[in-house]
Amino acid sequence: TCWAGRTMPGTLSILLVLVHAAAACEFGPFPYRATGIVCRMTKPAALLLNQETAQVIQAAFRNAKFPNITGERSMRLLGRVAYGLSNIQVNDLSIERSEVELKEDNAAHISIKNVTALFKGTLTYGYAGAWFLQLFHSVDFEVESSIDLQLNINLMCQKDQVAPDASDCYLAFHKLTLHLQGDKQPGWLKQLFMDFISFTLKIVLKREVCKEINAVAQTLTSFILDLAANFVQDKDIIVDISLASDPVIKASYIESHHKGLVLYKNNSSVLSDSVFSPSLLTESRMLYFWLSEHSLSSLAAAAFLDGRLVLSLRGEKLQELFEVEDTEVQRKAVQMIFQGTSYNDSVAKVRSLTQPQISLQPEGIVVRSLVALEVSILPTGEEPLVALYVEKEISVTIQATYAEKKLILQPVDSSIEIKVFKCTADPSGEDPSIQSFLQNMISVAGIPEVTSSIGSALTSLMNSKRLDLFDIINPEIITRKGYVIVQLDFGFPRHLLLNFFEKSL
């Protein structure tokens, strides 16, 4: 969550998502071996979230349902005095600051200083005097309060998910002053009720506010878990983000480890040899994601099995693919392949014939696959005619960047080996102009077009999960042997939290 800041926050909710109590779940002697995804949030990120999400405690006070308070007391000379406080509401709530300390017992110790609030309601009282004199009356009241709030958030794991417990909650009252009917001056009636109402009022406030804070923590945790689960799921492809090991809590960061297994139509990948080590991540950026080669390979495999690695090009896109340079060799090859048919009456399909093999290296993401290129001419009223069919083994090294809310995949190196070649204009496959043209077209235009299309599709998918609502600052995607690190600073999308409170509380 956070270490120190101006307000108590929903950073608490982030901590609840990232951390759980070790005693509640069993992970075995070598938990890192099953780690496919790691998230590390550093102190600057926690402080930012702390400043942006003061609505958590404020909502807890405002949404607390205060019951009517009743009591009775015997007073000398006055006899039995009964009273009741009803219609209690909170106004003018403010929080001065909060301080949070993370402990290695998987708990967050949060101290919220000087919560000032004005409670309003109705006081009804009555008493029977020694001479059977009876008087019953109702007046409006205000209670000015100044409160310090102490929270110890215990974190548990239930079914590999986080379950927060904020029931260890204590309110310390610096000020609790009762005003009747707007009268700000001390009077015997006000003093009488203040003496024996304040104790009851403190108990009720503590019970209801702490109960509401616990409820808000639970609701926020569910909200963020739902966001995360939705982000890593698309139709039949799901990434398992259940916890893989105990969290790491340090003075400068908190870190969680997730399985990162890919589920596709009830089939799951298996990971038992993860190379993750906490030393692979630094603390200079606000947020880190560590992704294993296994997780990315499994995602590529699921995309292949789901029929997503197919690209169709026609019209201007097809023209861009085949007219990579204006030379005599190109014009001759294009004329032979398309036989004078326009690009609008033709279509090219590029698809992966085998499951792509992903290898993460310092140079980038290395992708190997057997790919087919099929160009069909579509004569009016006739069956499509396959003018060109090529199968080629491709190995391409891709460097990934994220800028202006777009994922950019840039091929930096590639090798191509043609395995199958069929062309109606060159049945023997021996025309050097077509062979040379195809090699150049695939490397110069084909591979960049395919990677660009994949990058655009992934960007659209991520934006559909609302990633574009976040202000992502100077992101870096760093590949190493067997893993990739995404590190960034960010601005918190405050309206997401506001919408959450509007809908849920």
Side-chain angles (χ1 to χ4, degrees):
T1 190
C2 61
W3 287 252
R6 293 173 51 242
T7 58
M8 155 42 187
T11 318
L12 165 63
S13 65
I14 301 296
L15 177 64
L16 299 178
V17 171
L18 295 179
V19 187
H20 67 281
C25 296
E26 298 293 335
F27 295 111
F30 305 107
Y32 285 160
R33 292 184 179 178
T35 298
I37 299 175
V38 177
C39 178
R40 174 179 289 188
M41 185 177 68
T42 61
K43 181 177 178 179
L47 291 176
L48 172 66
L49 292 172
N50 184 57
Q51 295 172 0
E52 292 291 338
T53 53
Q55 297 96 328
V56 175
I57 291 299
Q58 292 178 351
F61 273 85
R62 292 194 179 104
N63 288 279
K65 304 300 182 183
F66 297 103
N68 294 340
I69 301 173
T70 60
E72 184 177 293
R73 187 171 178 179
S74 296
M75 301 293 294
R76 183 178 300 177
L77 299 179
L78 294 177
R80 190 179 71 256
V81 178
Y83 64 89
L85 302 176
S86 58
N87 303 321
I88 302 175
Q89 299 177 352
V90 182
N91 293 320
D92 301 328
L93 178 69
S94 66
I95 298 173
E96 182 178 298
R97 71 181 189 277
S98 70
E99 299 173 354
V100 178
E101 184 180 5
L102 298 180
K103 298 290 188 178
E104 296 195 13
D105 59 358
N106 289 321
H109 301 266
I110 303 171
S111 177
I112 304 162
K113 303 294 186 180
N114 195 21
V115 180
T116 60
L118 184 66
F119 296 89
K120 292 185 176 182
T122 302
L123 168 65
T124 301
Y125 62 92
Y127 56 90
W131 298 278
F132 302 100
L133 175 65
Q134 294 185 350
L135 177 64
F136 298 94
H137 197 48
S138 292
V139 296
D140 292 334
F141 73 87
E142 294 180 349
V143 175
E144 292 181 290
S145 67
S146 177
I147 304 169
D148 284 351
L149 179 62
Q150 300 289 332
L151 285 173
N152 294 316
I153 311 297
N154 296 309
L155 304 160
M156 303 172 294
C157 177
Q158 295 178 354
K159 298 181 180 179
D160 291 334
Q161 298 293 344
V162 177
D165 178 13
S167 59
D168 188 359
C169 171
Y170 178 74
L171 272 62
F173 291 83
H174 297 299
K175 178 181 181 181
L176 195 66
T177 305
L178 176 68
H179 302 296
L180 300 179
Q181 292 183 324
D183 178 18
K184 306 299 181 181
Q185 300 300 319
W188 73 270
L189 182 63
K190 182 174 64 176
Q191 187 62 46
L192 167 67
F193 283 106
M194 195 66 234
D195 287 343
F196 58 85
I197 287 177
S198 61
F199 178 75
T200 305
L201 185 60
K202 288 177 181 179
I203 292 176
V204 172
L205 291 179
K206 175 188 181 302
R207 182 181 69 237
E208 299 303 322
V209 169
C210 289
K211 182 173 68 175
E212 185 64 25
I213 288 174
N214 199 28
V216 170
Q218 296 278 355
T219 305
L220 268 173
T221 300
S222 298
F223 171 69
I224 293 184
L225 283 173
D226 289 344
L227 281 180
N230 178 63
F231 189 82
V232 294
Q233 177 176 355
D234 186 58
K235 298 180 181 177
D236 291 330
I237 301 176
I238 303 170
V239 179
D240 181 3
I241 57 171
S242 58
L243 296 168
S245 68
D246 294 331
V248 175
I249 306 177
K250 302 292 184 182
S252 55
Y253 67 84
I254 56 179
E255 182 176 282
S256 64
H257 316 103
H258 307 267
K259 294 177 181 177
L261 303 178
V262 177
L263 311 177
Y264 177 70
K265 293 185 175 179
N266 296 324
N267 295 316
S268 174
S269 57
V270 178
L271 175 61
S272 59
D273 58 352
S274 174
V275 299
F276 174 73
S277 168
S279 62
L280 298 177
L281 301 179
T282 64
E283 303 171 22
S284 59
R285 305 298 299 274
M286 294 172 66
L287 193 61
Y288 294 81
F289 294 100
W290 182 96
L291 306 172
S292 70
E293 182 177 284
H294 176 86
S295 294
L296 292 182
S297 294
S298 299
L299 278 173
F304 169 75
L305 294 172
D306 204 45
R308 302 193 186 196
L309 302 184
V310 178
L311 177 65
S312 295
L313 302 171
R314 63 191 312 164
E316 292 183 1
K317 284 293 184 181
L318 187 58
Q319 183 176 2
E320 292 173 5
L321 180 65
F322 276 87
E323 295 185 2
V324 292
E325 56 184 13
D326 187 15
T327 64
E328 184 63 30
V329 172
Q330 174 207 278
R331 289 191 291 271
K332 178 182 176 182
V334 169
Q335 179 64 28
M336 293 176 65
I337 293 171
F338 289 91
Q339 304 173 30
T341 304
S342 72
Y343 292 113
N344 289 328
D345 295 326
S346 306
V347 62
K349 292 184 179 180
V350 183
R351 67 182 186 277
S352 182
L353 298 176
T354 60
Q355 176 179 314
Q357 302 299 309
I358 306 291
S359 175
L360 297 177
Q361 303 294 334
E363 297 78 21
I365 306 170
V366 181
V367 182
R368 297 181 178 87
S369 184
L370 181 63
V371 178
L373 168 65
E374 182 179 281
V375 178
S376 298
I377 298 173
L378 309 173
T380 304
E382 300 180 22
E383 291 294 321
L385 172 65
V386 178
L388 176 67
Y389 180 82
V390 180
E391 291 182 7
K392 48 198 180 293
E393 276 207 3
I394 293 180
S395 176
V396 57
T397 301
I398 300 171
Q399 292 182 350
T401 56
Y402 187 87
E404 298 180 352
K405 301 187 183 297
K406 295 179 181 179
L407 179 65
I408 302 169
L409 302 179
Q410 181 65 42
V412 294
D413 187 28
S414 63
S415 63
I416 304 166
E417 182 180 353
I418 294 179
K419 296 292 187 179
V420 176
F421 176 84
K422 297 178 182 179
C423 181
T424 56
D426 181 22
S428 65
E430 296 178 355
D431 190 310
S433 63
I434 291 182
Q435 295 289 328
S436 174
F437 164 72
L438 286 176
Q439 288 281 0
N440 186 50
M441 181 268 292
I442 291 170
S443 60
V444 174
I447 292 175
E449 177 62 33
V450 170
T451 54
S452 175
S453 297
I454 293 174
S456 297
L458 290 174
T459 297
S460 297
L461 177 60
M462 292 187 295
N463 288 344
S464 72
K465 308 296 184 179
R466 298 191 286 185
L467 181 66
D468 56 332
L469 299 181
F470 289 79
D471 184 13
I472 298 176
I473 303 168
N474 298 325
E476 296 179 85
I477 302 175
I478 303 169
T479 54
R480 295 290 184 262
K481 184 174 178 58
Y483 63 91
V484 61
I485 297 172
V486 181
Q487 56 188 41
L488 54 96
D489 300 322
F490 67 92
F492 190 72
R494 202 173 181 189
H495 56 283
L496 280 184
L497 196 65
L498 291 174
N499 290 338
F500 160 74
F501 281 115
E502 289 174 359
K503 295 177 181 179
S504 302
L505 298 178

